[in-house]
Amino acid sequence: MDAFDVIVAGGGPGGSSTATFLADAGLRVALFERERFPRFHVGESLMPASMLLLEQLGVRAAMDERGFQLKYGASFHDEETGGAQTFYFLPGQPWPNYSYQVPRAEFDTVLLEHAKKRGVTVYQPASVEATEFNADGVTVTASSESGAPRVRAAMLVDATGRDALMASRYGRRRRIPNLGKVALFAHFKGAARQSGRDEGNIRIYVMREGWLWWIPLAGGLTSVGAVCHARTVKAWTGELEALFYAMVARSRGVSEALAGAVRVTPVHRQASFAYDNSPVVGDRYVAVGDAIAFVDPIFSGGVYIALRTGQLAAAAITEAFRAGDFSARRFAAYERRVRAGLAPLFKFIHKYYEPAFFDLFMRPRNHFGIYEAVLNVLSGGNWVTSPLRLRLALRILYGLTRLNGWLRRRAGLPIESRLEW
Ligand SMILES: Cc1cc2nc3c(=O)[nH]c(=O)nc-3n(C[C@H](O)[C@H](O)[C@H](O)COP(=O)(O)OP(=O)(O)OC[C@H]3O[C@@H](n4cnc5c(N)ncnc54)[C@H](O)[C@@H]3O)c2cc1C
């Protein structure tokens, strides 16, 4: 049986980042990835603070060489009122005012190849099938085309994404609101593009039935996705592919830009993507990325969270090796840090579905630093720096939302949240 210090299950952004940071700290790391890369994956629009992490991983130059589409902003379009608002990421922050839009097949491959270069032993394709913990370590049994490798280490990292290997076997997956939504998405070639700096902006089109994403990728590709409310899916009697096109038809902006474009992938689907897993940490065990929780892709936070939790987990594990203590108690601070980092984004997502909040979001004013505070969350910046004035600004925004809700109720306008629709 091969012996390592740490075994990482999963080779997405969470697994690759954890493994690379651990290898950089001098630990012997084995990583198991079930799929052969490159493989398609949803989650193509990155938050600007990701760029900081790519630099810290030492993979930024390799990423720049790929020539990914740059994104400087995000525009939101209200299909019911015709309103539109573009947010540009702010310069002068500890992270750049732009990020990449990436085909994940390519992005994840670069990250995993980089982990190998830093000394991580990668078993691929190899699926982790069993984990056995005892007082002095963990044994992992995998299945692969060449047999069933068994590997031993002091620690296990669950980076298996939505599969959440450990929580689904030994823990629980908590239902959270927003669960019933279905996402349908595909890549198109030849869609109309904006020019100049706006070319790479992610565009979000909001309507009663759900919302659409528009993510321009390099090489003339565009990713288009429809996130449909559960009630939209329930009421639909036809094929889901037809629902995707019906959602596209609901937006004039998207339909016109897609006229003449050719779909070059199947229409993929992902259902019920909101959950909160436990345990996040245990004796000789921590989870990173989607294996912890996922609420909603509206603000494109998933990859950043995976990279960032990977960095935090690696730091906690490195400290555990120094102390020779791998107990759950030791990793409690990691879990607290992760929950504190997730909270502002998750709250923002929940609020986003309230019409009273959406009103204010679509007409932002920089009173009390609210605009800056919103962009801090949308950039992933709250994990890096979260000064009191920005936290207060968010409180003011939520206070104004309550006031706006009261005004809307008095005016007879809808106030019901669309989160559970
Ligand atoms: C509809 C939708 C749209 C999204 N859009 C965005 C977006 O625009 N921007 C963004 O940042 N995020 C987005 N996300 C979220 C993003 O996809 C995830 O948050 C991100 O991929 C999480 O990374 P991860 O490394 O934790 O998991 P993953 O990227 O899922 O990687 C997990 C890996 O583990 C492997 N694996 C699983 N089980 C095993 C096993 N037993 N053994 C070995 N390997 C295993 C899998 O093959 C996979 O490669 C979106 C999500 C959804 C549902």
Side-chain angles (χ1 to χ4, degrees):
M1 201 184 321
D2 290 334
F4 293 88
D5 293 317
V6 184
I7 297 168
V8 177
S16 291
S17 103
T18 316
T20 302
F21 282 122
L22 286 171
D24 285 354
L27 296 171
R28 294 166 303 149
V29 186
L31 182 150
F32 288 84
E33 169 51 52
R34 186 178 56 194
E35 308 283 334
R36 213 182 281 281
F37 280 13
R39 54 96 177 88
F40 185 88
H41 201 294
V42 69
E44 298 154 324
S45 192
L46 306 192
M47 284 181 158
S50 311
M51 306 302 271
L52 214 53
L53 280 162
L54 297 177
E55 244 155 55
Q56 287 159 351
L57 281 164
V59 72
R60 176 70 199 273
M63 290 290 180
D64 282 346
E65 272 170 27
R66 311 303 294 212
F68 293 128
Q69 175 68 53
L70 296 184
K71 117 172 148 174
Y72 287 91
S75 69
F76 291 81
H77 306 256
D78 186 339
E79 291 294 330
E80 311 304 338
T81 64
Q85 180 60 45
T86 302
F87 294 86
Y88 293 100
F89 300 116
L90 297 175
Q93 308 297 317
W95 51 88
N97 64 332
Y98 59 87
S99 184
Y100 299 132
Q101 309 278 31
V102 297
R104 285 287 301 280
E106 203 177 335
F107 179 78
D108 289 14
T109 303
V110 175
L111 280 178
L112 191 55
E113 286 304 314
H114 180 68
K116 279 186 206 164
K117 281 190 201 132
R118 291 296 173 102
V120 175
T121 302
V122 175
Y123 295 78
Q124 183 184 26
S127 172
V128 172
E129 300 297 337
T131 55
E132 290 160 59
F133 287 85
N134 61 20
D136 52 24
V138 51
T139 302
V140 159
T141 308
S143 72
S144 74
E145 284 159 4
S146 56
R150 272 165 69 77
V151 172
R152 180 107 181 128
M155 279 288 308
L156 176 75
V157 177
D158 184 354
T160 55
R162 316 171 43 74
D163 286 41
L165 177 82
M166 294 295 286
S168 53
R169 289 196 191 166
Y170 308 111
R172 77 189 164 86
R173 197 168 256 236
R174 188 167 67 88
R175 182 205 183 284
I176 44 181
N178 211 6
L179 188 74
K181 302 204 188 314
V182 173
L184 305 164
F185 42 96
H187 285 176
F188 290 82
K189 188 125 196 144
R193 311 273 283 209
Q194 282 176 292
S195 56
R197 221 163 174 247
D198 286 336
E199 181 180 3
N201 289 357
I202 183 171
R203 293 191 245 155
I204 305 286
Y205 297 83
V206 183
M207 56 196 77
R208 283 184 67 76
E209 296 86 344
W211 55 274
L212 293 167
W213 78 66
W214 176 277
I215 300 176
L217 301 167
L221 280 181
T222 305
S223 167
V224 180
V227 176
C228 312
H229 294 313
R231 58 173 70 169
T232 307
V233 181
K234 252 188 219 150
W236 187 258
T237 49
E239 294 287 319
L240 283 179
E241 189 171 314
L243 174 56
F244 171 75
Y245 283 107
M247 291 284 287
V248 166
R250 277 284 277 113
S251 163
R252 213 173 80 195
V254 175
S255 320
E256 284 180 2
L258 275 187
V262 179
R263 178 159 60 81
V264 292
T265 65
V267 176
H268 298 275
R269 70 182 68 157
Q270 187 102 66
S272 298
F273 35 75
Y275 55 82
D276 185 9
N277 293 334
S278 66
V280 172
V281 302
D283 290 341
R284 300 186 176 277
Y285 156 74
V286 301
V288 299
D290 273 11
I292 300 173
F294 189 75
V295 181
D296 192 288
I298 184 79
F299 296 123
S300 310
V303 170
Y304 174 67
I305 291 166
L307 295 171
R308 182 74 173 139
T309 52
Q311 184 186 43
L312 293 172
I317 293 168
T318 307
E319 276 307 309
F321 271 93
R322 281 198 194 113
D325 173 7
F326 304 98
S327 64
R329 215 161 19 104
R330 223 196 138 81
F331 300 114
Y334 162 73
E335 179 168 1
R336 278 197 301 277
R337 187 83 201 276
V338 169
R339 299 266 179 220
L342 293 175
L345 182 68
F346 285 6
K347 175 146 188 189
F348 221 80
I349 291 169
H350 281 79
K351 286 279 167 202
Y352 177 81
Y353 284 97
E354 287 178 22
F357 179 85
F358 191 63
D359 272 354
L360 302 178
F361 183 77
M362 292 298 281
R363 285 181 282 119
R365 305 218 168 82
N366 201 16
H367 298 152
F368 315 111
I370 289 178
Y371 192 75
E372 198 187 329
V374 167
L375 277 160
N376 184 260
V377 177
L378 296 192
S379 303
N382 67 287
W383 292 76
V384 182
T385 166
S386 184
L388 182 63
R389 68 186 171 83
L390 295 190
R391 282 180 278 137
L392 284 177
L394 283 182
R395 285 194 178 200
I396 294 171
L397 175 62
Y398 297 138
L400 291 173
T401 301
R402 278 195 296 279
L403 178 64
N404 192 34
W406 180 77
L407 291 173
R408 284 183 66 97
R409 187 179 288 118
R410 271 177 61 112
L413 293 168
I415 51 157
E416 186 200 358
S417 167
R418 294 178 181 179
L419 188 70
E420 285 272 36
W421 275 22

